[in-house]
Amino acid sequence: MPRHLAALSAMALCLATPQWAGATTYTREEAVKIALEKSSDVKTAEEELVSANSQVDAGYGSALPSIDLDATVTRIFGLDDVENSKSLSKAASAMDAGDNEPFAANALAPAMDGLIYGMKSQGYRWQSSVGLTATQILYAQGKVGTGIEIAKVYKHLKEVNLDNTKASVRYDVENAFDQLIYLDSAVTILYESKNMLQENLNFVEQSLKSGLATELDLIRVQLSMDQLNSKINSMEKSRVLARNALLNTMGMEWESEVQFKGDLRDPLQGYSYPDTSMANVKKRRKELVMLEASEEMLVKNISIEEGGYKPTIVLIGGLKYSNNKNHFYQWDAPDWDENINKYIALNLKMNLFNGMKTKEAVVQAKSNLRSTQIKKETAERGFRVQIESCANTLEDANSQIEIAKRQIDLAQKNYDLTNAAYKIGRETQLNLLTAENSLRTAKLDYMSAIVEWNKAYNALLQATGEY
């Protein structure tokens, strides 16, 4: 390889950034690491995984008994104080005075007084109760177990989604990094071209003084210098925007003096060609794994919806303490046998008709499953097309690098010959400026070809699931 081409290749593959005092410099690996820590996409995917883990725990919780505490205090207006009256007992005692067996006074009247009091006690102004209820689902058409299985599949889906998100962020950072390398190297090429043009300008100025060049020759060089300065200014602005775009992708704020240092893959190093076997691609592509997980969840969801046709059996047990008084501060002491209600119940519930809601829910669940299956089939076909397209792009990128190499070699020879001939008066200045511009363009095209090859290689790795 010619020396000038070797030097250009080294510059294209290694970015040497100016080390300003106090400037922060990031390598490619550091940029990727920061992006994986600070990217909003990654953070969102991590929170979704936290939620998925919680759903698994909640699913197991559904299989455990539910214990509920219920406390109620009621104030009823328009009621008088309830008193335990002995009026019937007193009247019966007066009537039965002197009787040897005062049944009315000793038994019947007190019983009637108690009955009246018991009926009146239902009208206390303050009625309070405290209850503890335990509920255990015994049978729920498999909803509990199937729900746990769905939660586990959903958790796996979110784990894969997190990995896929990280891969996408890494892909975006590396492509942005490569673009920044191109712009930095392009600016370097433009400044080298400016040095060459400055030599030409100095030569024309000396020739003009000696009468070997005309003022028109000087104007041409000066115009070329102005155009080149404009290109440098535009390229430097593009470099600033690219730097800020990379910082944004990394999840960082704009920083004026930040620098990036790294290199590109050298196509001449002979990187292994990605595995394009569809059988292996299907195993590696995370998007397909997520669709398969969604399909599995929807299959289980059909079972849950079909459970609407089956009964639910629940075991319920509870304790309830009630207290009714004329004033809220009056409370009877809890008595296990007197004022604490203890119960256990077995509840069976089965829907007989709900306006075909269950039937339509099953239809919708099956339709959702089929939609996901169609997406999966479409994705598999799309992967084939994507891989073929990326493979063609990589092949074209290889061809463009070879062409760009030849163009630089020819442009360099053309410039050297034209410059030598111009200095002895055998070539025009216009041809020299054209040769210098062609050489600059060829170098930029070669840089661009290397960057495009790296992008194409990354895209094929991503398409085959190896990224």
Side-chain angles (χ1 to χ4, degrees):
M1 180 185 293
R3 180 182 299 177
H4 61 272
L5 188 56
L8 182 62
S9 297
M11 180 179 62
L13 297 170
C14 183
L15 172 63
T17 57
Q19 299 300 311
W20 299 337
T24 303
T25 302
Y26 296 110
T27 64
R28 182 188 296 270
E29 293 73 19
E30 290 171 340
V32 171
K33 180 180 179 181
I34 292 173
L36 294 179
E37 293 174 351
K38 296 188 175 183
S39 170
S40 58
D41 292 337
V42 173
K43 289 182 178 179
T44 300
E46 288 174 342
E47 290 301 322
E48 291 177 352
L49 180 56
V50 171
S51 176
N53 283 322
S54 177
Q55 291 184 35
V56 174
D57 294 338
Y60 280 112
S62 299
L64 300 176
S66 173
I67 301 176
D68 302 298
L69 175 66
D70 177 59
T72 304
V73 178
T74 304
R75 173 66 166 91
I76 302 176
F77 297 95
L79 298 178
D80 297 328
D81 286 351
V82 176
E83 296 180 356
N84 190 359
S85 174
K86 303 293 184 179
S87 57
L88 291 180
S89 298
K90 293 178 181 179
S93 296
M95 293 174 61
D96 291 346
D99 195 331
N100 293 330
E101 296 180 1
F103 174 75
N106 294 339
L108 182 59
M112 292 299 295
D113 281 332
L115 177 61
I116 293 172
Y117 174 72
M119 295 175 63
K120 290 171 64 179
S121 64
Q122 302 302 315
Y124 277 116
R125 287 179 297 180
W126 290 92
Q127 300 182 0
S128 306
S129 65
V130 178
L132 195 64
T133 305
T135 305
Q136 173 65 61
I137 298 176
L138 300 181
Y139 176 75
Q141 316 90 256
K143 285 185 177 181
V144 175
T146 305
I148 294 174
E149 293 176 2
I150 291 177
K152 289 181 178 179
V153 177
Y154 182 71
K155 174 187 174 183
H156 174 62
L157 186 152
K158 289 305 176 182
E159 290 172 342
V160 176
N161 178 64
L162 177 59
D163 292 339
N164 189 52
T165 301
K166 288 182 178 179
S168 297
V169 170
R170 184 167 57 250
Y171 178 81
D172 292 339
V173 170
E174 294 199 351
N175 277 342
F177 202 99
D178 291 347
Q179 183 64 21
L180 186 58
I181 289 177
Y182 164 73
L183 291 172
D184 277 317
S185 301
V187 169
T188 302
I189 291 173
L190 290 177
Y191 273 110
E192 288 182 351
S193 182
K194 181 178 179 179
N195 293 334
M196 295 170 57
L197 190 58
Q198 185 64 48
E199 291 180 3
N200 189 9
L201 178 59
N202 295 337
F203 177 78
V204 171
E205 289 176 343
Q206 293 296 327
S207 299
L208 181 62
K209 293 178 181 179
S210 62
L212 298 176
T214 66
E215 187 175 356
L216 180 60
D217 293 331
L218 179 61
I219 292 174
R220 285 173 179 164
V221 180
Q222 290 174 337
L223 287 174
S224 296
M225 182 64 76
D226 290 341
Q227 292 174 354
L228 184 55
N229 285 330
S230 177
K231 288 182 180 179
I232 292 174
N233 184 52
S234 177
M235 191 68 72
E236 287 180 337
K237 290 180 179 179
S238 298
R239 180 170 60 175
V240 172
L241 292 176
R243 186 186 300 125
N244 292 339
L246 178 53
L247 287 171
N248 183 64
T249 304
M250 292 166 59
M252 299 180 64
E253 298 291 336
W254 177 78
E255 187 177 346
S256 60
E257 295 185 354
V258 68
Q259 296 295 319
F260 294 91
K261 184 177 181 180
D263 52 17
L264 296 169
R265 293 187 186 92
D266 184 357
L268 301 179
Q269 293 295 325
Y271 285 91
S272 60
Y273 197 81
D275 177 17
T276 58
S277 169
M278 283 307 301
N280 295 330
V281 169
K282 291 179 180 179
K283 296 177 182 178
R284 292 192 299 263
R285 285 297 294 259
K286 295 180 177 61
E287 299 90 341
L288 190 57
V289 175
M290 288 189 289
L291 285 172
E292 289 174 346
S294 297
E295 181 182 9
E296 184 178 353
M297 286 193 301
L298 291 171
V299 169
K300 297 180 182 300
N301 187 57
I302 293 175
S303 300
I304 289 181
E305 297 298 346
E306 289 176 341
Y309 295 118
K310 301 175 183 178
T312 300
I313 302 176
V314 179
L315 179 65
I316 304 172
L319 301 172
K320 186 175 182 180
Y321 163 70
S322 298
N323 180 75
N324 300 333
K325 291 295 180 180
N326 293 320
H327 302 283
F328 73 91
Y329 54 81
Q330 294 177 335
W331 285 79
D332 291 333
D335 188 296
W336 183 259
D337 296 319
E338 294 294 333
N339 54 10
I340 294 182
N341 182 25
K342 302 168 286 293
Y343 62 92
I344 186 170
L346 186 65
N347 175 266
L348 184 146
K349 181 179 179 181
M350 181 174 181
N351 177 259
L352 299 179
F353 179 74
N354 59 4
M356 294 188 295
K357 289 182 180 179
T358 301
K359 175 179 177 298
E360 297 306 323
V362 173
V363 172
Q364 294 170 24
K366 291 181 177 179
S367 178
N368 291 336
L369 172 62
R370 183 54 190 153
S371 296
T372 300
Q373 290 172 339
I374 293 173
K375 289 180 182 179
K376 178 183 172 184
E377 295 165 0
T378 303
E380 291 178 359
R381 294 195 300 270
F383 293 158
R384 292 180 182 275
V385 175
Q386 183 184 10
I387 290 173
E388 291 177 4
S389 175
C390 291
N392 291 337
T393 302
L394 182 60
E395 184 178 350
D396 292 341
N398 280 316
S399 300
Q400 291 301 317
I401 287 178
E402 295 300 323
I403 294 173
K405 286 180 182 178
R406 292 195 297 270
Q407 290 295 322
I408 287 181
D409 193 32
L410 293 174
Q412 185 68 50
K413 289 180 180 179
N414 179 52
Y415 175 79
D416 293 340
L417 293 174
T418 303
N419 187 38
Y422 174 73
K423 289 182 178 180
I424 61 176
R426 291 188 176 183
E427 189 58 87
T428 65
Q429 184 197 46
L430 184 60
N431 287 341
L432 177 61
L433 295 176
T434 301
E436 189 274 333
N437 185 66
S438 297
L439 178 58
R440 179 171 66 247
T441 301
K443 289 180 178 180
L444 291 174
D445 288 345
Y446 178 70
M447 279 293 308
S448 179
I450 290 181
V451 173
E452 291 303 317
W453 184 91
N454 275 266
K455 289 182 179 178
Y457 190 78
N458 284 341
L460 186 55
L461 287 175
Q462 186 184 55
T464 57
E466 292 187 25
Y467 193 84

